[in-house]
Amino acid sequence: METDDVPGGAPNADTAARVREVIAAAGVSQREFARRVVMDPSKLSRSLSGTRRFTVAELARIADEGRIDAGRLLGTRSREKATPPATHVEGGRPLQIVRETVRLIAEHGFHAVRVADIARACATSSAAIHYHFPGRAELLEAAVRWCMDEDTARRAARLAEADDAAAELSQLIALQTPRTAQQRRQWAVWLDLWAEAARSTTVGRLHSEYYRQWRETVADVVRRGVGQGVFRAGLDPQAAALTLTALIDGLATHVLSVDGTASAGAADAMHTALTTHVNDTILAP
């Protein structure tokens, strides 16, 4: 289980100040930095304000992102920047670990993936995996959080390309239809994590928060569409979002259950069904 304490570490205020330096040097927002180190933004905020302590694993990921020695964050090493190790990869070792974990979950399912499998995929040791993510529970949480962040970023990019709410909804439907290998892999991970969410309080909370954000995104689009006159007057945004997201989930699950050669046709059928639903119940006559 994750602990909020760093045994023998430097005073929390000193560590927080050094982490702030790393964030400032990265030139990104605090939320974006949290995404990069696969950390709950609220935990990062509380640690920086002094109401909780960074864990050793969190400091390891922060040091990796800042390309400095972890001892520097605890005040036990020189302020000199460490030479990046030869194994340093783009995006940092923690993100590589999480990406490979997501890929392996999509291919084999979470409970079939061992730490040794992840280490092999990352060309590193199991000890290195545990250095960044001490337990399977923390690694699963990181994988869920990374998938959430990636999905949210893709949605934001698609919505930015649309001219009105009708086009925005069309973009969201296209994004959620598992046509490409990447989309199918993302859905495979979600299906596996949904099952895990029923057994894990932490993953369950993340799952609930993600779906709250996802449905609210759809509801906001519907709300804008009603205001623009492209959607039916008097339409309940929350009810429309609930129905549409549930339909997307059910149809996507069917598409992923279809064998390879037929999956393209199933994805086309899913897209047609969703478009028909929008035309019949959401678009203005």
Side-chain angles (χ1 to χ4, degrees):
M1 179 178 294
E2 180 185 358
T3 174
D4 284 353
D5 196 16
V6 180
N12 197 42
D14 293 344
T15 301
R18 295 185 184 101
V19 171
R20 287 185 186 280
E21 291 177 7
V22 175
I23 297 174
V28 297
S29 68
Q30 189 171 302
R31 174 168 286 275
E32 169 60 17
F33 190 83
R35 187 192 71 81
R36 292 186 181 187
V37 298
V38 204
M39 185 177 176
D40 183 339
S42 66
K43 286 185 177 180
L44 176 59
S45 180
R46 296 203 315 273
S47 297
L48 290 173
S49 68
T51 58
R52 78 179 283 274
R53 284 182 178 271
F54 288 101
T55 67
V56 172
E58 288 166 354
L59 291 175
R61 299 200 293 272
I62 291 168
D64 187 274
E65 177 63 28
R67 305 184 76 172
I68 62 173
D69 193 298
R72 153 81 177 89
L73 296 177
L74 289 170
T76 59
R77 298 289 176 87
S78 166
R79 295 181 64 89
E80 294 290 326
K81 274 204 170 186
T83 302
T87 56
H88 190 89
V89 294
E90 185 177 357
R93 177 65 75 187
L95 276 183
Q96 184 200 23
I97 293 170
V98 171
R99 290 189 189 107
E100 290 300 324
T101 299
V102 169
R103 181 181 65 81
L104 290 170
I105 290 173
E107 293 176 1
H108 307 292
F110 177 75
H111 288 285
V113 177
R114 303 171 304 161
V115 171
D117 299 325
I118 300 168
R120 189 178 304 111
C122 295
T124 189
S125 66
S126 294
I129 303 296
H130 287 304
Y131 178 67
H132 293 294
F133 303 98
R136 284 171 59 88
E138 187 179 6
L139 189 51
L140 174 60
E141 181 182 348
V144 175
R145 192 172 298 284
W146 185 81
C147 285
M148 288 170 55
D149 288 342
E150 290 294 297
D151 200 43
T152 300
R154 280 192 292 269
R155 289 203 307 264
R158 284 295 186 96
L159 292 180
E161 297 173 356
D163 294 328
D164 61 18
E168 288 179 357
L169 199 57
S170 178
Q171 290 280 22
L172 290 179
I173 288 173
L175 189 62
Q176 295 297 318
T177 304
R179 296 183 187 277
T180 68
Q182 188 278 330
Q183 287 174 318
R184 290 179 64 84
R185 183 167 56 249
Q186 185 84 353
W187 268 108
V189 172
W190 282 126
L191 292 181
D192 203 60
L193 294 180
W194 285 349
E196 187 64 23
R199 297 184 290 268
S200 168
T201 302
T202 298
V203 175
R205 284 198 300 266
L206 285 172
H207 176 268
S208 297
E209 175 60 18
Y210 169 77
Y211 260 81
R212 185 193 66 76
Q213 294 176 8
W214 163 227
R215 282 192 294 266
E216 195 55 44
T217 295
V218 177
D220 284 344
V221 171
V222 173
R223 198 172 290 111
R224 283 196 295 275
V226 172
Q228 294 168 357
V230 295
F231 293 161
R232 294 171 184 263
L235 190 64
D236 183 340
Q238 295 294 339
L242 178 62
T243 301
L244 182 57
T245 54
L247 187 58
I248 288 172
D249 291 344
L251 290 171
T253 301
H254 170 69
V255 172
L256 263 69
S257 68
V258 175
D259 195 28
T261 55
S263 62
D268 289 340
M270 171 181 173
H271 190 270
T272 298
L274 291 172
T275 301
T276 300
H277 171 76
V278 169
N279 289 342
D280 291 347
T281 66
I282 297 179
L283 285 181

